[in-house]
Amino acid sequence: MKNSSSICENLRPLRIINVVGARPNFMKMAPIIEAMNRHPERIQHLLVHTGQHYDEKMSQAFFNDLGMPKPDIDLEVGSGSHAEQTARIMVEFEKVCLREKPDLVIVVGDVNSTMACTITAKKLGIRVAHVEAGLRSRDMAMPEEINRLCTDVLCDYLFTTDRFANENLRREGVPEDKIFFVGNVMIDTLLKHKEMAGRLDLMDRWGLEPCKYATLTLHRPSNVDERETLEGILEALTEIAHGLPIVFPIHPRTRKMVEQFGLSSYLNNGNRVQGIWTTEPLGYLEFLHLNMNARMVLTDSGGLQEETTVLGVPCITLRENTERPITCEEGTNVIVGNRKENILAAARKVLQGDIARGRVPEKWDGQAAERIVKILLSQK
Ligand code: UD1
Protein backbone atom coordinates (compact mmCIF):
# COMPACT_ATOMS: atom_id res chain seq x y z
CA MET A 1 0.00 0.00 0.00
CA LYS A 2 1.31 3.47 -0.82
CA ASN A 3 1.04 6.85 0.89
CA SER A 4 2.26 5.28 4.08
CA SER A 5 4.05 8.40 5.31
CA SER A 6 4.02 8.97 9.06
CA ILE A 7 1.76 6.51 10.83
CA CYS A 8 0.62 7.88 14.17
CA GLU A 9 1.00 5.47 17.02
CA ASN A 10 -2.68 5.01 17.76
CA LEU A 11 -4.03 5.97 14.41
CA ARG A 12 -3.40 3.23 11.90
CA PRO A 13 -4.17 4.57 8.42
CA LEU A 14 -7.25 3.24 6.68
CA ARG A 15 -6.13 0.74 4.03
CA ILE A 16 -8.32 1.07 0.97
CA ILE A 17 -8.44 -0.67 -2.40
CA ASN A 18 -10.11 1.45 -5.08
CA VAL A 19 -11.49 -0.56 -8.00
CA VAL A 20 -12.00 0.50 -11.62
CA GLY A 21 -12.74 -1.70 -14.60
CA ALA A 22 -14.57 -0.04 -17.46
CA ARG A 23 -14.66 3.35 -19.13
CA PRO A 24 -17.45 4.94 -17.04
CA ASN A 25 -15.58 4.07 -13.83
CA PHE A 26 -12.53 6.22 -14.44
CA MET A 27 -14.14 9.65 -14.20
CA LYS A 28 -15.94 8.54 -11.03
CA MET A 29 -12.82 7.30 -9.28
CA ALA A 30 -10.50 10.18 -10.25
CA PRO A 31 -11.90 12.73 -7.74
CA ILE A 32 -12.05 10.12 -4.97
CA ILE A 33 -8.35 9.38 -5.36
CA GLU A 34 -7.62 13.09 -5.42
CA ALA A 35 -9.58 13.61 -2.21
CA MET A 36 -7.83 10.66 -0.53
CA ASN A 37 -4.44 12.07 -1.49
CA ARG A 38 -5.22 15.07 0.69
CA HIS A 39 -4.99 12.76 3.74
CA PRO A 40 -1.77 10.78 3.18
CA GLU A 41 -1.26 10.18 6.87
CA ARG A 42 -4.75 8.77 7.37
CA ILE A 43 -5.41 6.84 4.18
CA GLN A 44 -3.26 4.35 2.29
CA HIS A 45 -4.75 3.38 -1.02
CA LEU A 46 -4.16 1.11 -3.96
CA LEU A 47 -5.79 1.35 -7.37
CA VAL A 48 -6.84 -1.93 -8.95
CA HIS A 49 -7.88 -2.00 -12.63
CA THR A 50 -9.69 -5.21 -13.49
CA GLY A 51 -8.92 -4.82 -17.21
CA GLN A 52 -12.60 -5.17 -18.22
CA HIS A 53 -11.86 -2.38 -20.70
CA TYR A 54 -8.36 -2.57 -22.13
CA ASP A 55 -8.17 -0.74 -25.49
CA GLU A 56 -6.02 2.37 -25.28
CA LYS A 57 -8.99 4.56 -26.19
CA MET A 58 -11.34 2.87 -23.71
CA SER A 59 -8.94 3.01 -20.79
CA GLN A 60 -5.47 4.61 -20.86
CA ALA A 61 -6.72 7.72 -22.67
CA PHE A 62 -8.90 8.49 -19.65
CA PHE A 63 -6.06 8.07 -17.18
CA ASN A 64 -4.09 10.60 -19.25
CA ASP A 65 -6.94 13.11 -19.58
CA LEU A 66 -7.95 12.89 -15.93
CA GLY A 67 -4.40 12.92 -14.55
CA MET A 68 -5.10 9.65 -12.73
CA PRO A 69 -2.25 7.63 -11.29
CA LYS A 70 -1.36 4.44 -13.14
CA PRO A 71 -3.16 1.45 -11.58
CA ASP A 72 -1.02 -0.29 -8.98
CA ILE A 73 -2.42 -3.63 -10.09
CA ASP A 74 -3.97 -4.62 -13.44
CA LEU A 75 -5.93 -7.88 -13.34
CA GLU A 76 -6.00 -7.96 -17.17
CA VAL A 77 -9.22 -9.99 -17.33
CA GLY A 78 -10.33 -8.69 -20.75
CA SER A 79 -13.62 -9.49 -22.50
CA GLY A 80 -15.83 -12.57 -22.29
CA SER A 81 -19.35 -13.66 -21.51
CA HIS A 82 -20.81 -12.18 -18.33
CA ALA A 83 -20.06 -15.32 -16.33
CA GLU A 84 -16.54 -15.66 -17.72
CA GLN A 85 -15.66 -12.02 -17.12
CA THR A 86 -17.21 -11.86 -13.65
CA ALA A 87 -15.57 -15.12 -12.59
CA ARG A 88 -12.14 -14.10 -13.86
CA ILE A 89 -12.34 -10.81 -11.98
CA MET A 90 -13.36 -12.62 -8.78
CA VAL A 91 -10.53 -15.15 -8.97
CA GLU A 92 -7.92 -12.47 -9.58
CA PHE A 93 -9.31 -9.91 -7.14
CA GLU A 94 -9.47 -12.48 -4.35
CA LYS A 95 -5.70 -12.96 -4.63
CA VAL A 96 -5.20 -9.19 -4.32
CA CYS A 97 -7.45 -8.94 -1.26
CA LEU A 98 -5.72 -11.86 0.47
CA ARG A 99 -2.32 -10.33 -0.19
CA GLU A 100 -3.13 -6.69 0.62
CA LYS A 101 -5.64 -7.21 3.43
CA PRO A 102 -7.47 -3.88 2.99
CA ASP A 103 -9.87 -2.47 5.58
CA LEU A 104 -12.18 -1.32 2.83
CA VAL A 105 -12.82 -1.79 -0.89
CA ILE A 106 -14.43 1.02 -2.89
CA VAL A 107 -16.38 0.24 -6.05
CA VAL A 108 -18.13 2.69 -8.38
CA GLY A 109 -20.97 2.48 -10.90
CA ASP A 110 -22.65 -0.66 -12.14
CA VAL A 111 -20.36 -2.61 -14.44
CA ASN A 112 -19.40 -6.27 -14.04
CA SER A 113 -16.21 -5.26 -12.20
CA THR A 114 -18.30 -3.41 -9.60
CA MET A 115 -20.35 -6.47 -8.69
CA ALA A 116 -17.52 -9.00 -8.99
CA CYS A 117 -15.21 -7.15 -6.61
CA THR A 118 -18.01 -6.49 -4.13
CA ILE A 119 -18.90 -10.17 -3.84
CA THR A 120 -15.25 -11.19 -3.57
CA ALA A 121 -14.41 -8.69 -0.84
CA LYS A 122 -17.55 -9.35 1.22
CA LYS A 123 -16.91 -13.10 1.22
CA LEU A 124 -13.50 -12.35 2.72
CA GLY A 125 -15.14 -10.25 5.43
CA ILE A 126 -13.88 -6.94 3.99
CA ARG A 127 -16.10 -3.87 4.18
CA VAL A 128 -17.22 -2.46 0.82
CA ALA A 129 -18.40 1.02 -0.15
CA HIS A 130 -20.48 1.57 -3.30
CA VAL A 131 -20.30 4.97 -4.92
CA GLU A 132 -23.41 5.68 -7.01
CA ALA A 133 -25.61 3.34 -4.99
CA GLY A 134 -29.40 3.05 -5.17
CA LEU A 135 -29.95 3.74 -8.87
CA ARG A 136 -32.67 1.47 -10.24
CA SER A 137 -34.12 1.07 -13.72
CA ARG A 138 -36.36 -1.83 -12.57
CA ASP A 139 -35.36 -3.47 -15.85
CA MET A 140 -33.89 -6.86 -15.11
CA ALA A 141 -32.97 -7.31 -18.78
CA MET A 142 -30.15 -4.83 -18.14
CA PRO A 143 -27.01 -6.52 -16.85
CA GLU A 144 -26.25 -3.30 -14.99
CA GLU A 145 -29.48 -3.56 -12.96
CA ILE A 146 -28.42 -6.99 -11.72
CA ASN A 147 -24.99 -5.59 -10.89
CA ARG A 148 -26.55 -2.67 -9.00
CA LEU A 149 -28.88 -4.87 -6.94
CA CYS A 150 -26.22 -7.43 -6.01
CA THR A 151 -23.74 -4.72 -5.11
CA ASP A 152 -26.07 -2.64 -2.97
CA VAL A 153 -27.45 -5.54 -0.99
CA LEU A 154 -23.91 -6.43 0.12
CA CYS A 155 -22.31 -3.04 0.70
CA ASP A 156 -21.61 -1.40 4.04
CA TYR A 157 -21.53 2.18 2.77
CA LEU A 158 -24.01 3.27 0.12
CA PHE A 159 -23.02 6.65 -1.29
CA THR A 160 -25.92 8.08 -3.30
CA THR A 161 -26.27 10.78 -5.96
CA ASP A 162 -29.89 11.84 -5.53
CA ARG A 163 -33.09 11.56 -3.53
CA PHE A 164 -34.55 8.85 -5.80
CA ALA A 165 -31.61 6.61 -4.96
CA ASN A 166 -32.10 7.23 -1.23
CA GLU A 167 -35.77 6.28 -1.56
CA ASN A 168 -35.00 3.13 -3.56
CA LEU A 169 -32.62 1.91 -0.89
CA ARG A 170 -35.07 2.68 1.93
CA ARG A 171 -37.82 0.80 0.12
CA GLU A 172 -35.51 -2.18 -0.18
CA GLY A 173 -35.04 -2.15 3.59
CA VAL A 174 -31.51 -0.76 3.75
CA PRO A 175 -30.91 0.69 7.22
CA GLU A 176 -30.66 4.47 7.31
CA ASP A 177 -27.15 4.45 8.79
CA LYS A 178 -25.74 2.83 5.65
CA ILE A 179 -27.12 5.47 3.26
CA PHE A 180 -25.03 8.59 2.66
CA PHE A 181 -26.36 11.22 0.25
CA VAL A 182 -23.11 12.74 -1.00
CA GLY A 183 -23.83 13.98 -4.54
CA ASN A 184 -22.28 12.96 -7.83
CA VAL A 185 -18.57 12.23 -8.20
CA MET A 186 -18.83 12.14 -12.00
CA ILE A 187 -19.98 15.75 -11.83
CA ASP A 188 -16.97 16.58 -9.62
CA THR A 189 -14.86 15.53 -12.60
CA LEU A 190 -16.97 17.38 -15.13
CA LEU A 191 -16.85 20.66 -13.21
CA LYS A 192 -13.12 20.34 -12.70
CA HIS A 193 -12.41 19.78 -16.41
CA LYS A 194 -15.06 21.91 -18.07
CA GLU A 195 -12.87 24.95 -18.57
CA MET A 196 -9.94 22.91 -19.86
CA ALA A 197 -12.22 21.05 -22.28
CA GLY A 198 -13.74 24.34 -23.44
CA ARG A 199 -10.31 25.56 -24.56
CA LEU A 200 -9.73 22.70 -27.05
CA ASP A 201 -9.80 23.67 -30.72
CA LEU A 202 -11.92 20.73 -31.85
CA MET A 203 -14.54 22.88 -33.60
CA ASP A 204 -11.91 24.36 -35.90
CA ARG A 205 -10.02 21.14 -36.40
CA TRP A 206 -13.14 19.19 -37.28
CA GLY A 207 -14.94 21.96 -39.15
CA LEU A 208 -17.88 22.00 -36.74
CA GLU A 209 -19.87 24.95 -35.50
CA PRO A 210 -21.23 25.18 -31.96
CA CYS A 211 -24.92 24.17 -31.77
CA LYS A 212 -24.91 22.99 -35.38
CA TYR A 213 -24.35 19.28 -34.79
CA ALA A 214 -25.47 16.51 -32.43
CA THR A 215 -23.40 13.90 -30.64
CA LEU A 216 -24.38 10.26 -30.34
CA THR A 217 -23.37 7.29 -28.20
CA LEU A 218 -24.88 3.85 -28.61
CA HIS A 219 -23.71 0.62 -27.05
CA ARG A 220 -26.48 -1.03 -24.99
CA PRO A 221 -27.01 -4.66 -25.97
CA SER A 222 -30.77 -3.91 -26.17
CA ASN A 223 -30.07 -1.35 -28.93
CA VAL A 224 -27.17 -2.84 -30.84
CA ASP A 225 -27.30 -6.62 -30.53
CA GLU A 226 -30.36 -7.17 -32.78
CA ARG A 227 -30.23 -6.25 -36.44
CA GLU A 228 -33.78 -4.94 -36.76
CA THR A 229 -33.53 -2.66 -33.72
CA LEU A 230 -30.14 -1.31 -34.70
CA GLU A 231 -31.22 -0.65 -38.29
CA GLY A 232 -34.37 1.21 -37.12
CA ILE A 233 -32.22 3.44 -34.90
CA LEU A 234 -29.73 4.09 -37.70
CA GLU A 235 -32.59 4.97 -40.07
CA ALA A 236 -33.94 7.55 -37.61
CA LEU A 237 -30.47 8.97 -37.04
CA THR A 238 -29.83 9.21 -40.77
CA GLU A 239 -32.98 11.25 -41.16
CA ILE A 240 -31.99 13.60 -38.33
CA ALA A 241 -28.49 13.87 -39.79
CA HIS A 242 -29.86 15.29 -43.08
CA GLY A 243 -30.44 18.55 -41.24
CA LEU A 244 -28.06 18.24 -38.30
CA PRO A 245 -24.80 16.30 -38.67
CA ILE A 246 -24.22 13.67 -36.00
CA VAL A 247 -20.80 12.96 -34.54
CA PHE A 248 -20.68 9.36 -33.36
CA PRO A 249 -17.64 8.11 -31.39
CA ILE A 250 -18.42 4.46 -31.87
CA HIS A 251 -18.08 1.87 -29.09
CA PRO A 252 -16.19 -1.34 -30.02
CA ARG A 253 -19.30 -3.47 -29.34
CA THR A 254 -21.37 -1.33 -31.71
CA ARG A 255 -18.72 -1.27 -34.42
CA LYS A 256 -18.60 -5.05 -34.29
CA MET A 257 -22.39 -5.39 -34.58
CA VAL A 258 -22.70 -2.81 -37.39
CA GLU A 259 -20.14 -4.75 -39.40
CA GLN A 260 -21.66 -8.14 -38.56
CA PHE A 261 -25.15 -6.99 -39.64
CA GLY A 262 -23.87 -5.36 -42.84
CA LEU A 263 -25.10 -1.91 -41.76
CA SER A 264 -21.88 0.02 -42.39
CA SER A 265 -23.46 1.96 -45.27
CA TYR A 266 -25.40 4.04 -42.70
CA LEU A 267 -22.17 5.45 -41.32
CA ASN A 268 -19.69 7.95 -42.71
CA ASN A 269 -21.67 8.31 -45.92
CA GLY A 270 -21.48 12.05 -45.74
CA ASN A 271 -18.95 14.36 -44.18
CA ARG A 272 -18.82 16.20 -40.91
CA VAL A 273 -21.40 18.71 -42.06
CA GLN A 274 -23.89 16.08 -43.19
CA GLY A 275 -24.66 12.51 -42.17
CA ILE A 276 -23.55 10.30 -39.30
CA TRP A 277 -19.82 10.73 -38.82
CA THR A 278 -18.14 8.00 -36.78
CA THR A 279 -14.89 8.45 -34.93
CA GLU A 280 -12.87 6.15 -32.69
CA PRO A 281 -13.91 6.36 -29.00
CA LEU A 282 -12.80 9.80 -27.79
CA GLY A 283 -10.90 10.81 -24.69
CA TYR A 284 -12.66 12.51 -21.78
CA LEU A 285 -11.76 16.10 -22.65
CA GLU A 286 -12.53 15.88 -26.37
CA PHE A 287 -15.87 14.26 -25.74
CA LEU A 288 -16.78 16.81 -23.08
CA HIS A 289 -15.87 19.57 -25.53
CA LEU A 290 -18.15 18.04 -28.16
CA ASN A 291 -21.07 17.64 -25.76
CA MET A 292 -20.74 21.15 -24.32
CA ASN A 293 -21.15 22.62 -27.79
CA ALA A 294 -23.74 20.22 -29.19
CA ARG A 295 -27.28 21.19 -30.13
CA MET A 296 -28.42 17.91 -28.61
CA VAL A 297 -27.03 14.61 -27.40
CA LEU A 298 -28.57 11.29 -28.40
CA THR A 299 -27.50 8.42 -26.17
CA ASP A 300 -28.19 5.16 -24.40
CA SER A 301 -25.47 5.79 -21.83
CA GLY A 302 -26.23 6.32 -18.15
CA GLY A 303 -23.62 8.91 -17.28
CA LEU A 304 -24.27 11.12 -20.27
CA GLN A 305 -27.83 11.71 -19.07
CA GLU A 306 -26.31 13.28 -15.97
CA GLU A 307 -23.56 15.21 -17.72
CA THR A 308 -25.98 16.82 -20.18
CA THR A 309 -28.22 17.84 -17.29
CA VAL A 310 -25.34 19.76 -15.74
CA LEU A 311 -24.23 21.19 -19.09
CA GLY A 312 -27.82 22.28 -19.88
CA VAL A 313 -27.72 20.45 -23.23
CA PRO A 314 -30.87 18.59 -24.38
CA CYS A 315 -30.48 14.83 -24.05
CA ILE A 316 -32.57 12.28 -25.95
CA THR A 317 -32.19 8.88 -24.34
CA LEU A 318 -32.73 5.90 -26.61
CA ARG A 319 -33.93 3.57 -23.88
CA GLU A 320 -37.28 2.48 -22.45
CA ASN A 321 -36.35 3.48 -18.91
CA THR A 322 -33.68 5.15 -16.85
CA GLU A 323 -32.07 4.47 -13.50
CA ARG A 324 -31.49 8.22 -13.34
CA PRO A 325 -35.02 9.74 -13.28
CA ILE A 326 -33.73 12.93 -11.66
CA THR A 327 -32.28 13.90 -15.06
CA CYS A 328 -35.82 13.89 -16.50
CA GLU A 329 -37.47 15.45 -13.49
CA GLU A 330 -34.94 18.23 -12.91
CA GLY A 331 -32.64 18.14 -15.93
CA THR A 332 -32.68 18.15 -19.71
CA ASN A 333 -33.29 14.46 -20.38
CA VAL A 334 -36.19 12.79 -22.20
CA ILE A 335 -36.63 9.03 -22.48
CA VAL A 336 -37.85 8.03 -25.93
CA GLY A 337 -37.03 4.32 -26.39
CA ASN A 338 -35.60 2.98 -29.62
CA ARG A 339 -38.50 3.26 -32.10
CA LYS A 340 -37.76 5.34 -35.14
CA GLU A 341 -40.82 7.62 -35.01
CA ASN A 342 -40.28 8.44 -31.33
CA ILE A 343 -36.63 9.30 -31.85
CA LEU A 344 -37.53 11.55 -34.78
CA ALA A 345 -40.34 13.28 -32.87
CA ALA A 346 -38.04 14.03 -29.94
CA ALA A 347 -35.28 15.40 -32.18
CA ARG A 348 -37.81 17.59 -34.04
CA LYS A 349 -38.98 19.05 -30.75
CA VAL A 350 -35.45 20.03 -29.78
CA LEU A 351 -34.84 21.57 -33.19
CA GLN A 352 -38.02 23.63 -32.78
CA GLY A 353 -36.69 24.91 -29.46
CA ASP A 354 -39.13 22.92 -27.34
CA ILE A 355 -36.65 21.84 -24.67
CA ALA A 356 -36.59 21.30 -20.93
CA ARG A 357 -34.33 23.97 -19.45
CA GLY A 358 -33.71 22.09 -16.26
CA ARG A 359 -31.61 22.77 -13.19
CA VAL A 360 -28.66 21.12 -11.54
CA PRO A 361 -29.71 18.54 -8.93
CA GLU A 362 -28.87 18.99 -5.26
CA LYS A 363 -25.24 18.34 -4.28
CA TRP A 364 -24.01 17.98 -7.87
CA ASP A 365 -21.59 20.70 -6.90
CA GLY A 366 -18.09 19.30 -7.29
CA GLN A 367 -17.76 18.29 -3.62
CA ALA A 368 -19.05 14.70 -3.63
CA ALA A 369 -15.66 12.98 -3.36
CA GLU A 370 -14.65 15.25 -0.51
CA ARG A 371 -17.85 14.29 1.35
CA ILE A 372 -17.15 10.59 0.79
CA VAL A 373 -13.64 10.78 2.20
CA LYS A 374 -14.82 12.82 5.17
CA ILE A 375 -17.44 10.20 5.99
CA LEU A 376 -14.95 7.33 5.65
CA LEU A 377 -12.51 9.07 7.98
CA SER A 378 -15.19 9.87 10.54
CA GLN A 379 -16.39 6.25 10.62
CA LYS A 380 -12.98 4.62 10.83
C1 UD1 B 1 -19.64 -2.13 -20.32
C2 UD1 B 1 -20.63 -2.13 -19.16
C3 UD1 B 1 -21.67 -1.06 -19.38
C4 UD1 B 1 -21.05 0.28 -19.64
C5 UD1 B 1 -20.06 0.16 -20.80
C6 UD1 B 1 -19.37 1.46 -21.08
C7 UD1 B 1 -21.11 -4.29 -18.06
C8 UD1 B 1 -22.10 -5.37 -17.96
N1 UD1 B 1 -21.31 -3.40 -19.06
O1 UD1 B 1 -20.35 -2.50 -21.49
O2 UD1 B 1 -22.48 -0.97 -18.22
O3 UD1 B 1 -22.04 1.22 -19.95
O4 UD1 B 1 -19.08 -0.84 -20.46
O5 UD1 B 1 -18.53 1.36 -22.19
O6 UD1 B 1 -20.20 -4.21 -17.28
N2 UD1 B 1 -14.31 -4.28 -26.22
C9 UD1 B 1 -13.19 -3.86 -26.90
N3 UD1 B 1 -12.26 -3.13 -26.18
C10 UD1 B 1 -12.40 -2.83 -24.88
C11 UD1 B 1 -13.54 -3.27 -24.21
C12 UD1 B 1 -14.48 -3.98 -24.90
O7 UD1 B 1 -13.03 -4.11 -28.06
O8 UD1 B 1 -11.51 -2.17 -24.32
C13 UD1 B 1 -15.34 -5.04 -26.97
C14 UD1 B 1 -15.22 -6.52 -26.82
O9 UD1 B 1 -15.57 -7.11 -28.03
C15 UD1 B 1 -16.26 -6.84 -25.77
C16 UD1 B 1 -17.32 -5.81 -26.07
O10 UD1 B 1 -16.62 -4.65 -26.49
O11 UD1 B 1 -16.72 -8.14 -25.86
C17 UD1 B 1 -18.17 -5.46 -24.88
O12 UD1 B 1 -17.37 -5.09 -23.77
P1 UD1 B 1 -17.93 -5.32 -22.25
O13 UD1 B 1 -16.98 -4.74 -21.28
O14 UD1 B 1 -18.31 -6.75 -22.09
O15 UD1 B 1 -19.26 -4.53 -22.25
P2 UD1 B 1 -19.61 -3.05 -22.76
O16 UD1 B 1 -20.60 -3.17 -23.85
O17 UD1 B 1 -18.37 -2.27 -23.02
Side-chain angles (χ1 to χ4, degrees):
M1 293 258 168
K2 55 183 185 176
N3 292 351
S4 55
S5 50
S6 66
I7 300 173
C8 305
E9 272 175 18
N10 297 323
L11 199 65
R12 190 174 76 81
L14 193 56
R15 295 161 62 85
I16 298 179
I17 291 184
N18 293 314
V19 175
V20 291
R23 185 168 62 174
N25 291 163
F26 308 132
M27 58 289 258
K28 294 171 192 167
M29 190 54 83
I32 298 174
I33 293 176
E34 210 179 305
M36 285 181 180
N37 282 341
R38 286 195 272 274
H39 303 273
E41 71 297 342
R42 300 193 60 196
I43 297 178
Q44 296 176 357
H45 60 89
L46 275 183
L47 180 61
V48 171
H49 190 333
T50 65
Q52 176 173 346
H53 283 176
Y54 43 86
D55 282 351
E56 210 274 333
K57 293 201 157 66
M58 299 292 285
S59 179
Q60 185 56 44
F62 285 77
F63 280 75
N64 300 343
D65 272 8
L66 300 170
M68 274 176 85
K70 215 168 131 349
D72 298 285
I73 299 169
D74 191 340
L75 305 181
E76 294 181 351
V77 299
S79 301
S81 71
H82 283 274
E84 283 167 346
Q85 191 174 60
T86 306
R88 277 205 295 268
I89 297 169
M90 290 176 73
V91 169
E92 295 307 316
F93 190 60
E94 185 177 55
K95 294 177 198 163
V96 174
C97 288
L98 288 171
R99 191 172 67 234
E100 300 294 338
K101 299 188 175 44
D103 301 310
L104 178 74
V105 166
I106 300 189
V107 296
V108 295
D110 55 16
V111 300
N112 286 344
S113 304
T114 312
M115 179 187 72
C117 293
T118 300
I119 296 174
T120 308
K122 279 308 286 183
K123 288 207 166 181
L124 292 172
I126 301 165
R127 285 180 297 154
V128 184
H130 184 204
V131 177
E132 206 184 72
L135 300 183
R136 299 287 181 267
S137 65
R138 306 289 169 211
D139 177 358
M140 293 299 277
M142 282 183 83
E144 293 81 2
E145 184 71 357
I146 298 171
N147 293 341
R148 289 188 280 261
L149 286 163
C150 293
T151 302
D152 285 346
V153 81
L154 293 175
C155 277
D156 303 274
Y157 298 90
L158 296 160
F159 293 117
T160 61
T161 47
D162 64 49
R163 63 176 192 281
F164 290 98
N166 301 337
E167 270 317 301
N168 289 335
L169 293 172
R170 281 179 196 130
R171 248 184 274 128
E172 288 168 20
V174 175
E176 205 60 37
D177 63 355
K178 283 186 170 186
I179 305 171
F180 301 91
F181 174 31
V182 292
N184 193 324
V185 285
M186 202 185 56
I187 302 307
D188 290 6
T189 295
L190 183 144
L191 295 176
K192 180 178 170 194
H193 292 87
K194 203 174 148 198
E195 209 186 303
M196 204 190 302
R199 287 199 299 267
L200 300 182
D201 61 353
L202 214 55
M203 294 295 110
D204 286 345
R205 270 198 283 134
W206 286 16
L208 294 168
E209 280 184 62
C211 277
K212 295 205 172 152
Y213 66 91
T215 56
L216 165 71
T217 74
L218 200 64
H219 74 283
R220 295 271 160 218
S222 56
N223 281 337
V224 307
D225 283 4
E226 268 178 36
R227 187 181 198 282
E228 213 177 307
T229 310
L230 181 54
E231 185 161 26
I233 294 174
L234 292 175
E235 276 174 13
L237 295 169
T238 302
E239 226 170 294
I240 296 167
H242 284 320
L244 187 73
I246 296 178
V247 183
F248 181 19
I250 192 164
H251 188 283
R253 171 193 282 278
T254 312
R255 183 180 289 284
K256 209 162 70 181
M257 300 318 288
V258 165
E259 283 165 10
Q260 190 176 313
F261 295 147
L263 299 173
S264 304
S265 59
Y266 282 97
L267 307 176
N268 285 359
N269 49 4
N271 52 44
R272 286 194 197 106
V273 286
Q274 198 184 35
I276 307 174
W277 187 265
T278 59
T279 73
E280 290 288 304
L282 296 175
Y284 182 78
L285 292 172
E286 285 190 330
F287 195 46
L288 177 54
H289 181 89
L290 273 186
N291 291 329
M292 285 165 69
N293 289 294
R295 178 73 177 268
M296 68 178 96
V297 171
L298 299 125
T299 190
D300 60 5
S301 139
L304 208 38
Q305 297 170 53
E306 297 181 340
E307 289 170 332
T308 45
T309 273
V310 172
L311 294 172
V313 172
C315 181
I316 297 177
T317 297
L318 311 188
R319 286 174 45 187
E320 301 297 334
N321 48 55
T322 180
E323 63 288 342
R324 293 163 159 91
I326 197 137
T327 59
C328 301
E329 193 136 315
E330 297 189 12
T332 57
N333 188 22
V334 287
I335 304 295
V336 303
N338 57 18
R339 292 182 46 184
K340 184 178 167 184
E341 55 279 17
N342 296 345
I343 300 170
L344 285 173
R348 243 177 258 126
K349 263 183 146 179
V350 173
L351 290 172
Q352 286 159 3
D354 182 2
I355 52 177
R357 285 284 158 209
R359 63 186 156 119
V360 176
E362 189 187 351
K363 293 195 188 176
W364 293 18
D365 57 0
Q367 300 301 314
E370 199 59 54
R371 291 187 191 105
I372 289 171
V373 169
K374 220 165 151 187
I375 290 165
L376 293 177
L377 287 175
S378 71
Q379 306 250 324
K380 239 183 97 175

